[in-house]
Amino acid sequence: MSNHDNSFRSVLAACGLVAALGSGAAAAGPCSPTYGPIYKDIDQPPALTPTPFVSHHIVGGPVLADDFIPTASGKIECVEWYGSRATSDQWELTLHLNNDANPAAPDVNPALTGGFKIFVQSAGVDPDGDGIFLYWAAFKDPLWVVEKDQQYWFSAANLDDHWTWAASDGIPEVGNQNQWAVQSVGTNPCPDGGPHCGQWNPLTGTNFAFAIYVPEPASALLLSLGLGALGLTRRRRET
């Protein structure tokens, strides 16, 4: 068998293994198979329940946030969250650092916006027709980097002034949490007019359904091996 055949078979094997990993993880949600969860508190419906808590992207909010402790370090590139049907597909997602002075509240840094924001579009789907929608967004933002075992806060707010975040059972499948969810009505608004600078008030007994993902190391490694083998085959052809 020629070196060319061996290289081509290596490419196929690597890509096939990536595909196999992906097909096994596809049921986890829209963020699969490219990404691996580092925090996941999403039970499958009907375990998810609606809440009366609105999270509205507007001056004064109210906006909601919930804490999470990731199982690995990395740059967040995909998120999923559940809630009521939103008439708008416009979302404001925010990553907050933990406030060391008050562990039960998100940090307001950077002071101008109260957290690291990204604006995304997500229409969502209702997987089983129960009225609770799954939303997701894939993005690459250099500021959305987390460290293993550190506490962070995630916020999702919609342009729809009636959108409510669905509650989970508060027992994460991946990762941990320390606090109840929190709400801000802009009593201490950020200089840009947003409500993410708090004051944050605890929603006792409430945890929200969401998942945080970083690129899947195994898939990325195998894909790079496959591409490397393909490059080697091309160079051998040229020589």
Side-chain angles (χ1 to χ4, degrees):
M1 184 178 293
S2 67
N3 289 335
H4 173 270
D5 289 336
N6 283 330
S7 298
F8 185 68
R9 288 177 182 272
S10 298
V11 173
L12 289 179
C15 293
L17 187 50
V18 169
L21 287 173
S23 63
C31 287
S32 299
T34 308
Y35 308 97
I38 59 172
Y39 178 82
K40 186 172 184 285
D41 193 7
I42 295 181
D43 301 314
Q44 294 303 309
L48 298 176
T49 58
T51 70
F53 302 115
V54 170
S55 194
H56 187 199
H57 168 47
I58 194 172
V59 174
V63 293
L64 307 173
D66 202 357
D67 71 307
F68 70 97
I69 300 175
T71 57
S73 302
K75 182 169 66 175
I76 296 172
E77 292 192 5
C78 199
V79 296
E80 299 172 355
W81 65 101
Y82 276 93
S84 64
R85 180 182 180 272
T87 59
S88 172
D89 66 354
Q90 304 296 313
W91 298 86
E92 175 194 52
L93 305 180
T94 310
L95 175 68
H96 292 271
L97 306 179
N98 194 50
N99 188 336
D100 293 333
N102 180 8
D107 202 326
V108 300
N109 288 326
L112 180 63
T113 59
F116 302 110
K117 290 181 172 53
I118 190 165
F119 298 93
V120 299
Q121 288 182 290
S122 181
V125 295
D126 186 353
D128 56 2
D130 66 351
I132 298 178
F133 282 70
L134 168 60
Y135 303 91
W136 68 93
F139 55 85
K140 294 184 178 181
D141 189 301
L143 298 179
W144 283 61
V145 177
V146 294
E147 296 183 11
K148 179 182 178 181
D149 297 330
Q150 299 297 309
Q151 185 177 1
Y152 299 89
W153 296 79
F154 171 71
S155 174
N158 190 257
L159 197 61
D160 178 357
D161 62 355
H162 289 94
W163 181 78
T164 57
W165 208 337
S168 68
D169 62 6
I171 305 175
E173 301 169 54
V174 178
N176 295 286
Q177 57 183 211
N178 284 340
Q179 307 292 335
W180 301 120
V182 292
Q183 178 190 62
S184 172
V185 293
T187 53
N188 182 27
C190 302
D192 68 353
H196 281 269
C197 290
Q199 178 181 349
W200 295 97
N201 302 305
L203 299 174
T204 303
T206 301
N207 295 289
F208 295 125
F210 67 99
I212 303 291
Y213 294 81
V214 299
E216 180 64 54
S219 298
L221 175 60
L222 289 170
L223 181 60
S224 65
L225 289 175
L227 293 176
L230 184 60
L232 179 61
T233 299
R234 180 176 299 175
R235 286 195 297 272
R236 285 178 174 174
R237 277 182 176 178
E238 292 172 353
T239 58

